[in-house]
Structure formats: structure tokens, C-alpha cells
């Protein structure tokens, strides 16, 4: 029987945990991250174990990823989220050659080889331009919840051009559109398109090749998925588990380590 | 653009051998000596490292100060930010080269460094090679000190063999410079003294080149970036003195001993890296640790060559003093076209059996750094070499984001590791 392996992705806003047994995801959890990252990581693991109806003692191996990976002090392995997203995307969509991951604070484009190995990657600079945080700030400026803006942007009839991807400047651009009486759905469509443009340049840096798999919290936003598909002129893989891709990748790396292969 | 991490104390994991010890002593003596320099008896010339005219000014009895090196020594001692902030308060913008702001801030604050006080310049020699910032920087110094400035205009090197006309143009400038120095110092130019200085220069260059070439061995007995940067001090600052030449004899004996005794930079050399770019001096050790953690050893690097590409066969020639000084200045790394820089890197990849390249770009530098993004693409797509480009600053600690840089470096080395174990091809990126 395969060992139960936990993969934990401790990001800037959420902690994700995936429990993997063989090729099956037997449990998962998603919980917020606050100031006590160590405790939050513990909670994420407990929640996933509860989801799987398993005991802590049954987890044979724990691997951590994400910016808070070093806080998973109870883990046996830390892996960067870049290789985790590549592994996770390859596991769910074996034809993946390019991963676009847009999370709360960063955006990554990852070129992936046929075995799920990372060939090249590019990341946004050290600011929140073009990330999930950007969308969140702009959604707030328009008085919407982050979950509402994707579907709303799909209704746009005259998408506007948002020139700034800087979170601070875009917020004031949004406010000025509102004061000029522009429709929120058109502003939102412009915001989505502007993130896609920025992501595209990262993707071009590593080389765009199908299949493209979109991961990270922002990939749950339908407006973003559509804007990306339109811009690429090609299908884009999106999994309902996209937010868990890092944790899944960590679990896969843990599994590989357990089986004696290099993680 | 350039320098030598002189005054940083060694720590665990560094080579604590005679070369490093001697280098530290030379740095201390140099700065101690500077405290008494200046004025007619021992005039001080400020000079830039790339394509410099050290030998000529030394033959006239000048003491040489390299503001780039003083600046980086301050940065490595975590003393650059106060100078930079002072320069910004003086009106220098955020995007001005960190070397310039660190130096001008330091000068305006009185020139006091952790290693001693830097004397005022009696002469400013601007070797205008490769970086247009040099002239503006030197003009600012000339204005603030009222010191005379000589601009040595070095044409850009586009092809491997320099144009005859360029050499003639530069030799004419060198004669003009010599005549100016005669007038200033009241001393007659002594060709024999220049040749004597050049003989010492050549001896140091040969020793330094031998040290650098040791990186070809597998495993490498030297760390061709982080360690070599310490060892740049004599070749850049003391070139033309017997001390510099003797230093490399000591270092090379040490390298031979390392090979014999198996005392290598790391217990296991897992990745052989070529490093391009100026280091983040403000976080030098942290950056080095990001390599060490993965068993990555730099076996060859371009930056330690900014003072001269002596490992490629160029050596000053006492038999052709002025011509060889002109050839030297033309061939300065930053003065070379990207075609030549790429060719050099391509040769290094092969000769040093390089597995991967790490490029460190400098946010506030638009000369050395410009073009490194294209270099990255060319290395990955055309040369099939895994390459990482990261960016911070050489002098300004505000631009060094440790978590982000570490994350990128971890991901890069992790991917190399993973590709090795999955036997994936070196690169699959479409051409
Ligand atoms: S701009 Fe670049 S090349 Fe010029 S002095 Fe500064 S670091 Fe050196």
C-alpha cells in the first residue's frame, strides 16, 4: 500500500494542504494565513487530515512549499513553489509545457519538460503588480467582493483600457473611470486584460508552448481564464484544484523522496 | 562597474589560507598608506578601474585611489546606504549608479571610511571606457574639489582586433597625458621607470591569469567569483607594484596545495557555474550562501575581468609601453561589444565545462548590465545552457530582497537537480 504523504503550500494569504496516497488525493484543506504562520500550517494539516478521516500519525512524509515553507518545521522536505507548480500541473495535465501561476502576491511563468521538470521560469518583480492582490485592491475600489468580479467582467460590452499594472496607480485609474461614469463590468474587463498582458510578457520570456495550464488562486476567476484564452488564441487547462497545485506538487515531491528518487 | 572585496573579514567556510591572509594585510596597508598621501610629495590620482592608466601615474610617483573600490569596500561593510542617502539628499536621483552616489555621498561627508580617511584628489584621470557615467561622475568630483581632470577617451571595441587608427588616437592621448603630468609634477617623464613598472604589472597579470585558469580543473580548486573578487584587489589596486606580483605567487602556491590536499571550495562540486555581472556587495555573504547551499561553485566569471582580460592572453608589454596600454584600455570587458562579450562567454562555457549560468543584474547600472536580458535568452535558446537572471544592486541594500532572490535561486538549482535525476535534456526551449 502507498504511504500517505502531505504536501503543504504556505503562501502569503492562504495555507493549502493536500494528502496524497498513491495517485489519489485523499484529503485537502485551505485556510487563511495570519501572523502566526507556524500555527496556521499546523491547522492546515489538521484540517486536511480531518477531511481524509486520518490521524496525524498516519502521515508518513510531509513536504512544504510556498514562502512560508521553512515554517513547516514538522516537515521533512522543502521545495520551491516553482517546481511544485510544475509537478502538480504535470500530474493533472501531463501534456503541460507552460504553467502560468497567479497567486496573491506573485506571478510566475514556468516552462515544463515532458517529465514535469522545470526548464525555465520567470517571475514578476518584487511588487504586487499584476497579481491577485492587484485584482483584490481594484475589486475593493469598485465595491465588489473578489469572487464577484470574474463573472461580472464577462458581461462587459465596451471593455476599457487600463494602462497601469501598478496596484496603487491602477486603483486611482479605476476611481477616475468610476467618476467618469464608466460601467464597472467594462472597467473590470480592462483590469483582467491588463493582468493578462503583463502575464503574457512573462510567458513570452520563457517561451509559449501548448499545453498551457493556469494555476493559483486567480485561475479560479472565470474572467481571467477567458481573457487568457482569448489572448493566447488557444485552450488553457484549468483544474478545480488549481489553488492546490503547489501543495499537490509538494506532496508529489514528498512521494518521490519517499520512493527514493530525488525530489 | 568594478572592484575587489578587500576589507571583509573571513568567516567559517572561507579559505583561511595564506593568500587570503596576505590579501587582508595588503588591503590594510594600502588604506593606512592613503592616510598620509596627498599634496606635492605624494600626490593622489583618482582613477577608474576599467582601462586605467595606473602604470603611467605610478611612474610619476602618484598614489592611486579607485573610488569604485572604496565604494564597494564600504558596501561590503554595510556602510554604503548612509552615503547613498546623503547623495540623494544632495539631489542625485534614485536611478543614478550606486557607485556614484556611494562615492559622492562619502566625499561630501568628509571621506571617512571604516578603513581610514580617503585623501582628496590632486588629479582626476577618467578612462572613458564603456560607461558614459564615468565622465559625469568625474566632472562632479572635479567641480567639488577644484581638481584638474584628464579624460582619456577610449573608443568602443567592436571587433576583436582593434583598429590601427584607434590605437594611434589613444597613443596620442597618452603622450598628451604624459606632458601634462610633467608640467604638474615638475618631473621629467622617465621611460625606463615606466617599463620597470610595466614589468611588475606583467608579472602580476601572469600570476592572476594562472590563478583564474585553475577553474578549468574538475573539481575546481578556486571559487572564480566570490573568492576571486577578494583576490582582485592586488591586480586592480596595486598593479605595477612588486607587492601585487608577489601576491599571486603566494596564491598560486596555495592553489597547488589545495589540489594536492583536496582542500576544495566545497566538499562536493555539484554544479559548475559561470557568473556574469557585478555582485550585490551589500549582501555578499548571503548571496554566496545561496550558491553554496546547492553545491554550486563558480568556476569562471566575467566580472573579475573588468580590470583586464589577462586570462585571455593579453598582457602589458614593457617593450611596447604606450601601444600595449592603449590595447589594454580598448579591451576592457565593459568596453567590448556584446558580440565580443558573448564570444568570450561561449568560450568560457566550453573551456570551463560550465553546467549553468547565473547573471546578476544591477538596477542602477545601465552600462555593464544593459543587454544581460538578451544574454539570458541567447544562453538558453541558442546555447542550451540553463541560465538564471536575477537583479538587485551592487551598492544599494534597499534593492536586495533576500527572500525573493533566494526563492529564484533555490528554484533554479532545484530544477537543475531535478533535470539531472530525470535525465531530461539540457533545455527544451524552442529556438
Ligand atoms: S553605471 Fe554600471 S558600468 Fe557605470 S560605473 Fe556604475 S556600475 Fe559601473
Amino acid at each position: 500500500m502507498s504511504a500517505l504523504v502531505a504536501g503543504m503550500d504556505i503562501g502569503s494569504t492562504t495555507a493549502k494542504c493536500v494528502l496524497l496516497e498513491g495517485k489519489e488525493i485523499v484529503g485537502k484543506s485551505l485556510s487563511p494565513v495570519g501572523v502566526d504562520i507556524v500555527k496556521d500550517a499546523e491547522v492546515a494539516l489538521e484540517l486536511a487530515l480531518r477531511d481524509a478521516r486520518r490521524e496525524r500519525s498516519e502521515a508518513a512524509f510531509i513536504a512544504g512549499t510556498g514562502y512560508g515553507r521553512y515554517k513547516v518545521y514538522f516537515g521533512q522536505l522543502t521545495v520551491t513553489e516553482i517546481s511544485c507548480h510544475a509537478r502538480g500541473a504535470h500530474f493533472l495535465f501531463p501534456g503541460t509545457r507552460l504553467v502560468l501561476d497567479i497567486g496573491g502576491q506573485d506571478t510566475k511563468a514556468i516552462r515544463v519538460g515532458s517529465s514535469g521538470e522545470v526548464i525555465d521560469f520567470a517571475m514578476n518583480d518584487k511588487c504586487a503588480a499584476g497579481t491577485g492582490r492587484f485584482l483584490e485592491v481594484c475589486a475593493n475600489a469598485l465595491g465588489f467582493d473578489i469572487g464577484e468580479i470574474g463573472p461580472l467582467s464577462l458581461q462587459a460590452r465596451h471593455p476599457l483600457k487600463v494602462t497601469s499594472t501598478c496596484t496603487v496607480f491602477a486603483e486611482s485609474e479605476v476611481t477616475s473611470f468610476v467618476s467618469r461614469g464608466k460601467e464597472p463590468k467594462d472597467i473590470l474587463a480592462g483590469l483582467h486584460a491588463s493582468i493578462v498582458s503583463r502575464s503574457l510578457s512573462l510567458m513570452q520570456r520563457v517561451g509559449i508552448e501548448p499545453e498551457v495550464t493556469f494555476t493559483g488562486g486567480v485561475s479560479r476567476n472565470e474572467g481571467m481564464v477567458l481573457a487568457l484564452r482569448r489572448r493566447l488564441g488557444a485552450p488553457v487547462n484549468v483544474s478545480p484544484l488549481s489553488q492546490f497545485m503547489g501543495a499537490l506538487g509538494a506532496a508529489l515531491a514528498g512521494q518521490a523522496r519517499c520512493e527514493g528518487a530525488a525530489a | 562597474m568594478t572592484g575587489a572585496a578587500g576589507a571583509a573579514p573571513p568567516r567559517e567556510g572561507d579559505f583561511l589560507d595564506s593568500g587570503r591572509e596576505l590579501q587582508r594585510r595588503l588591503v590594510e596597508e594600502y588604506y593606512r598608506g592613503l592616510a598620509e598621501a596627498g599634496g606635492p610629495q605624494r600626490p593622489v590620482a583618482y582613477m577608474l578601474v576599467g582601462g586605467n592608466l595606473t602604470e603611467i601615474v605610478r611612474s610619476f610617483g602618484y598614489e592611486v585611489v579607485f573610488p569604485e573600490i572604496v565604494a564597494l569596500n564600504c558596501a561590503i561593510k554595510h556602510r554604503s546606504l548612509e552615503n547613498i542617502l546623503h547623495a540623494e539628499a544632495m539631489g542625485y536621483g534614485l536611478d543614478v549608479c550606486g557607485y556614484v552616489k556611494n562615492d559622492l555621498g562619502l566625499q561630501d561627508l568628509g571621506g571617512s571610511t571604516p578603513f581610514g580617511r580617503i585623501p582628496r584628489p590632486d588629479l582626476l584621470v577618467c578612462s572613458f571606457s564603456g560607461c558614459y557615467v564615468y565622465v559625469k561622475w568625474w566632472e562632479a568630483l572635479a567641480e567639488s574639489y577644484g581638481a584638474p581632470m584628464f579624460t582619456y577617451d577610449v573608443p568602443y571595441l567592436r571587433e576583436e582586433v582593434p583598429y590601427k587608427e584607434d590605437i594611434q588616437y589613444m597613443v596620442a592621448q597618452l603622450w598628451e597625458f604624459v606632458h601634462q603630468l610633467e608640467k604638474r609634477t615638475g618631473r621629467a617623464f622617465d621611460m625606463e621607470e615606466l617599463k620597470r613598472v610595466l614589468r611588475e604589472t606583467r608579472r602580476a597579470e601572469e600570476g592572476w591569469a594562472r590563478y583564474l585558469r585553475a577553474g578549468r580543473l574538475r573539481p575546481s580548486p578556486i571559487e572564480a567569483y566570490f573568492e576571486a573578487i577578494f583576490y582582485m584587489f592586488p591586480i586592480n589596486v596595486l598593479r605595477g607594484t612588486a607587492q601585487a606580483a608577489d601576491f599571486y605567487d603566494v596564491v598560486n602556491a596555495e592553489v597547488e596545495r589545495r589540489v594536492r590536499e583536496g582542500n576544495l571550495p566545497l566538499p562536493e562540486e555539484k554544479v559548475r557555474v559561470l557568473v556574469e555581472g557585478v555582485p550585490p556587495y551589500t549582501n555578499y555573504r548571503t548571496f554566496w550562501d545561496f550558491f553554496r547551499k546547492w553545491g554550486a561553485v563558480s568556476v569562471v566569471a566575467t566580472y573579475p575581468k573588468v580590470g583586464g582580460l589577462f586570462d585571455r592572453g593579453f598582457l602589458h608589454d614593457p617593450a611596447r609601453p604606450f601601444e600595449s596600454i592603449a590595447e589594454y584600455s580598448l579591451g576592457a570587458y565593459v568596453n567590448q561589444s556584446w558580440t565580443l562579450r558573448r564570444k568570450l562567454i561561449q568560450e568560457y562555457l566550453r573551456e570551463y565545462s560550465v553546467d549553468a549560468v547565473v547573471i546578476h543584474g544591477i538596477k542602477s547600472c545601465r552600462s555593464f548590465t544593459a543587454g544581460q536580458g538578451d544574454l539570458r535568452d541567447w544562453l538558453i535558446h541558442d546555447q542550451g545552457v540553463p541560465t538564471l537572471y536575477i537583479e538587485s544592486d551592487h551598492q544599494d541594500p534597499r534593492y536586495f530582497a533576500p527572500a525573493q532572490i533566494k526563492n529564484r535561486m533555490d528554484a533554479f538549482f532545484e530544477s537543475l537537480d531535478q533535470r539531472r535525476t530525470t535525465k531530461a535534456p539540457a533545455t527544451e526551449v524552442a529556438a
Side-chain angles (χ1 to χ4, degrees), chain B residues 150-170:
Chain B
F150 179 83
T151 304
Y152 172 45
D153 179 30
V154 183
Y156 197 51
L157 186 69
R158 290 183 173 76
E159 286 166 38
E160 228 158 331
V161 181
Y163 300 135
K164 186 170 87 259
E165 293 75 9
D166 284 348
I167 299 287
Q168 284 166 353
Y169 170 57
M170 291 163 77

Side-chain angles (χ1 to χ4, degrees), chain A residues 132-144 149 162 166-167 170-172 174 187-188 191:
Chain A
R133 181 84 190 120
F134 168 90
L135 275 183
E136 202 176 311
V137 167
C138 293
N140 287 344
L142 287 167
F144 293 108
I149 59 171
V162 177
C166 164
T167 308
E171 191 181 3
S172 44
V174 165
I187 303 175
L188 286 168
L191 286 167

Side-chain angles (χ1 to χ4, degrees), chain B residues 251-311:
Chain B
V251 166
N252 283 319
E254 195 67 57
V255 171
E256 279 167 26
R257 190 183 61 77
R258 284 182 198 169
V259 174
R260 265 195 324 272
E261 296 174 5
N263 177 21
L264 302 170
L266 287 177
E268 192 188 353
E269 176 187 281
K270 290 191 186 148
V271 193
R272 292 171 66 83
V273 183
L274 180 152
V275 186
E276 148 83 17
V278 189
Y281 278 113
T282 58
N283 288 271
Y284 196 76
R285 307 287 188 177
T286 309
F287 190 50
W288 191 353
D289 284 342
F290 294 165
F291 285 77
R292 288 201 256 222
K293 178 187 164 199
W294 290 95
V297 177
S298 62
V299 294
V300 64
T302 48
Y303 174 66
K305 321 292 165 58
V306 288
L309 282 160
F310 311 119
D311 62 317

